[in-house]
Every structure is written in C-alpha cells, then in structure tokens.
Amino acid sequence: MRGCKVEDLIDAGVDRIIFSVDGNTKDTFKNIRIGGDFDELTETIEQAVSYRNSKGLSKPFIRVQMCKQKSNEHEVEGFVRKWKDIVDDVRVSAVMDRGADGNFLIDDWIAVERAVCKQPFQRLTIGYDGKVMGCCADWFENRPVGDANIHSLKEIWNNSIELQDMRDAQHEGRQEETTPCESCWAKDAWIWRLGNGN
C-alpha cells in the first residue's frame, strides 16, 4: 500500500496481520511471488513484531504462512524453523490445484459442496496499490470492495456495498451468482474430502 507502513497498521488497531511468504529462500519466493521482494517482506515482518512488542501491545496477532506446493515443499521444515520463535503463528497449508492442471497439486483433495465462507466476515486483503478485496482468493482483483488510499479500512469494512453483497451472498446461498465467489476455490468456501475417499 503506497505510503503505508506496517507501523501504521499496528497503530490503527488491527487484530491480525497475515504475511504470505510461500518460500524460505529468495529464489523460491521470487518464483512463486513474482515481482515480490523477499528481503523487504522478511524485514517488514520483523519490523511488525519488533514495533508491536516495543509498544507493549498484544495485538495484532502476527502469522506467517506458506502454501505448500511442488516448488517449495522441500523448504517447509526450514520455513517453520525460521519463523516459529519470531511470530505468533506459522501455518503451512497444502495448496489445492484450483484449475492449474496438476502443476501445484500436493494432496488430492476434492471439493464436494459449497460452505458458507468466512472470508468476507473475517478479513480484508490489501494489494500493494491500496486496492482492497473482500477475499484473499480474488487473485485477479475482479471485485474490489474499496481503496485504502481513499478510505480507512474501518470505513470499507463497515460501509462497502460490494463487501456487504459478498456477505449476503454467503448467507443466501448465492455464491454461484456472485463475483468472485462463483469461481472460487478457496478452502473456506468448500467442504473437502481426499480423493481416495478419506
């Protein structure tokens, strides 16, 4: 987000910050997070923890996460070891294939039915340019719910018509008629089972 520092987010009183790192080395990271800066991201995570602790705050809860896939599964152990004593939570999730024709697949999970997704009720996803999404799975920014360069996150959270429609769609079972929900493969949006029947 232009002009925003991690300290600003902490001072704003957010409850949780989740950093998606997806690699334990610069080379792996840059192959997955194209255009990202591994050194800048790791420095920002460390700054967030340091700043929060220096202020004596209990929030935000800081998580670092990795989506395990073929290109980074060899780094999982080192990733956990690196971050476990720095942040509050380290998560490693198996990536679902989501239409990538097996290029990312680790575990053979199958979506069996829609679930009421918690994403639009729990979080906002903010892009580098300040564009705000109501779901972290809206990778192509098909439905912005606000712009953090113009409105505060509190204003977007409470007043965005787009975000409210996404929430209503979950309660009303309109996921298949609502962007970006209709093409979603986020784990939260489905009930899953392993392909072997387990």
Side-chain angles (χ1 to χ4, degrees), residues 137-156:
D138 190 2
W139 299 338
F140 300 106
E141 300 181 342
N142 291 317
R143 188 171 195 178
V145 300
D147 186 332
N149 295 305
I150 300 170
H151 297 102
S152 72
L153 297 180
K154 184 176 182 179
E155 288 173 309
I156 295 168

Side-chain angles (χ1 to χ4, degrees), residues 101-193:
D101 301 324
N103 292 321
F104 301 126
L105 195 63
I106 294 289
D107 295 322
D108 188 18
W109 290 92
I110 297 170
V112 292
E113 67 180 274
R114 293 304 290 250
V116 174
C117 181
K118 297 178 180 118
Q119 292 266 341
F121 303 96
Q122 290 181 330
R123 66 191 71 185
L124 296 172
T125 301
I126 307 164
Y128 73 93
D129 58 356
K131 204 177 285 185
V132 180
M133 301 297 128
C135 174
C136 70
D138 190 2
W139 299 338
F140 300 106
E141 300 181 342
N142 291 317
R143 188 171 195 178
V145 300
D147 186 332
N149 295 305
I150 300 170
H151 297 102
S152 72
L153 297 180
K154 184 176 182 179
E155 288 173 309
I156 295 168
W157 183 257
N158 290 323
N159 302 321
S160 169
I161 294 169
E162 295 294 326
L163 183 59
Q164 187 58 52
D165 184 58
M166 288 175 68
R167 292 170 176 160
D168 291 345
Q170 294 301 318
H171 287 306
E172 297 165 8
R174 291 189 290 110
Q175 296 97 326
E176 298 298 330
E177 305 162 17
T178 305
T179 302
C181 306
E182 82 279 6
S183 58
C184 182
W185 282 93
K187 286 189 294 184
D188 290 352
W190 296 86
I191 296 171
W192 298 88
R193 69 170 171 80

Side-chain angles (χ1 to χ4, degrees), residues 39-118:
D39 293 330
E40 182 180 4
L41 177 58
T42 55
E43 182 180 317
T44 299
I45 296 166
E46 291 165 356
Q47 280 178 333
V49 173
S50 176
Y51 184 74
R52 179 199 63 188
N53 293 348
S54 74
K55 303 274 274 187
L57 301 171
S58 59
K59 292 181 183 180
F61 183 86
I62 298 173
R63 174 189 295 165
V64 172
Q65 65 187 22
M66 169 192 273
C67 286
K68 183 176 73 169
Q69 52 197 277
K70 290 178 180 177
S71 59
N72 68 7
E73 62 182 328
H74 63 286
E75 294 188 355
V76 168
E77 189 177 316
F79 178 81
V80 172
R81 195 169 45 248
K82 174 178 182 171
W83 292 108
K84 69 183 178 71
D85 295 325
I86 297 173
V87 297
D88 302 310
D89 186 33
V90 179
R91 291 283 171 98
V92 178
S93 302
V95 77
M96 305 302 181
D97 197 36
R98 301 178 188 174
D101 301 324
N103 292 321
F104 301 126
L105 195 63
I106 294 289
D107 295 322
D108 188 18
W109 290 92
I110 297 170
V112 292
E113 67 180 274
R114 293 304 290 250
V116 174
C117 181
K118 297 178 180 118

